[in-house]
Amino acid sequence: MLAGNSRNGTGFSQKRVTTQSFPGALTIPQFDPTIAFGYMGDYITNVSDGSHQYFAWGDNRDTVTDFLYPNGRADPDVFFAKQ
């Protein structure tokens, strides 16, 4: 994931936020159908305290293997970064 920053609104610089890229996840059928059908989550935010930026996002880089997914599946987790 990349974030674009600008000090004056006319020029933007990009910085990488995540330490690695991650795939999208097929959520149909949902991993936990008691939550919602076909829903991953919306854990995406960025805020600043004037000195640093803080990011949180849903990321599918981890894999879980269980009796339902013996070959493994993407495991959405929430990640955090500070710049």
Side-chain angles (χ1 to χ4, degrees):
M1 176 170 59
L2 299 174
N5 291 318
S6 176
R7 294 199 180 276
N8 58 16
T10 60
F12 287 83
S13 63
Q14 290 186 343
K15 291 177 81 175
R16 186 169 179 90
V17 176
T18 59
T19 56
Q20 70 184 63
S21 298
F22 54 91
L26 180 62
T27 60
I28 298 174
Q30 174 56 282
F31 307 142
D32 184 352
T34 60
I35 296 174
F37 184 73
Y39 177 75
M40 180 185 150
D42 56 355
Y43 305 105
I44 301 172
T45 190
N46 66 354
V47 295
S48 175
D49 64 5
S51 299
H52 297 92
Q53 292 179 302
Y54 304 88
F55 301 91
W57 68 95
D59 186 317
N60 301 307
R61 70 178 74 177
D62 294 332
T63 302
V64 66
T65 303
D66 58 23
F67 71 97
L68 293 174
Y69 299 91
N71 296 324
R73 65 156 170 85
D75 186 28
D77 288 314
V78 178
F79 287 79
F80 173 80
K82 174 184 167 186
Q83 290 188 344

